[in-house]
Amino acid sequence: MKTWEDCVAFHGHECGGLTIGYKASLYAIELLDIKFSEDEELVCISENDACGVDAIQTMLGCSIGKGNLLFHMRGKQAFSFYNRTSNRAIRLVLKDKPEGMTRAESFEYYQRSEPRDMFDVKKPHIAVPDCAKIFESYTCECCGEVTGANWIRLEGGKKLCLDCCDKYNRFDV
């Protein structure tokens, strides 16, 4: 089992945000009966890209590279955890803390708080994502760089990476 010190070592410093992710991880371990994810048996969808995500990576083994750490950017301190082994899932949403706290007071508040007092437990509103897929690669016929098939666009009969193809957006008018 990883520790708070492991999280701090990975993140580089102690802070309230790291504490939030640490406590969310502890609560997910308790509620879903999970351990460190060696592959994709556990998935986390984070609704932010803040400090707490580093604790989730450290404590639970969710990472972008393994495909079991995904982002649904909403600016919320909310994390959905999916246990593929047991087919159980939870969404942990940070509750409001008392107003008027300094950064140091906020850190101490989260450090003292029990996870069950910090988070509302809800049902995830996003279905468990598919396991990561390995795509074929193609060479962009403009820049010559190798790109995964899911990021190639056909334009003028050529296979182009997203950087080389014309941008098409009918929604930003």
Side-chain angles (χ1 to χ4, degrees):
M1 171 97 166
K2 299 288 183 170
T3 66
W4 169 249
E5 289 75 22
D6 294 323
C7 295
V8 173
F10 178 75
H11 185 62
H13 65 268
E14 293 183 338
C15 65
L18 188 66
T19 306
I20 291 166
Y22 176 71
K23 297 288 179 107
S25 297
L26 292 176
Y27 207 20
I29 289 167
E30 176 187 333
L31 295 175
L32 294 176
D33 191 30
I34 54 177
K35 294 178 175 37
F36 189 87
S37 185
E38 298 297 332
D39 194 18
E40 291 184 65
E41 55 276 5
L42 173 64
V43 176
C44 175
I45 297 179
S46 177
E47 296 184 34
N48 68 77
D49 60 354
C51 300
V53 177
D54 282 354
I56 290 167
Q57 291 180 91
T58 303
M59 295 294 293
L60 300 176
C62 295
S63 71
I64 294 169
K66 283 195 286 191
N68 64 340
L69 174 60
L70 305 167
F71 294 94
H72 183 70
M73 297 301 287
R74 295 297 182 261
K76 299 177 182 180
Q77 289 287 355
F79 311 95
S80 295
F81 297 97
Y82 305 83
N83 182 341
R84 291 186 197 272
T85 305
S86 68
N87 291 319
R88 293 174 49 213
I90 56 170
R91 181 171 178 252
L92 300 179
V93 182
L94 186 68
K95 296 177 183 178
D96 284 340
K97 68 179 189 309
E99 289 187 35
M101 291 183 168
T102 66
R103 206 175 169 124
E105 290 168 336
S106 179
F107 173 71
E108 289 302 320
Y109 172 79
Y110 289 130
Q111 284 285 307
R112 286 191 319 269
S113 296
E114 290 295 323
R116 69 180 168 278
D117 298 328
M118 291 175 59
F119 297 97
D120 287 322
V121 181
K122 299 183 175 189
K123 181 180 177 182
H125 54 266
I126 301 172
V128 63
D130 291 338
C131 289
K133 294 179 181 168
I134 298 174
F135 293 92
E136 287 190 43
S137 296
Y138 295 96
T139 300
C140 173
E141 294 179 49
C142 180
C143 69
E145 296 175 0
V146 177
T147 306
N150 55 322
W151 300 106
I152 287 286
R153 300 295 180 263
L154 294 176
E155 189 174 291
K158 293 183 176 184
K159 294 178 185 121
L160 302 179
C161 70
L162 294 180
D163 292 328
C164 293
C165 70
D166 287 334
K167 308 299 181 241
Y168 177 75
N169 185 351
R170 294 175 21 135
F171 303 106
D172 270 344
V173 253

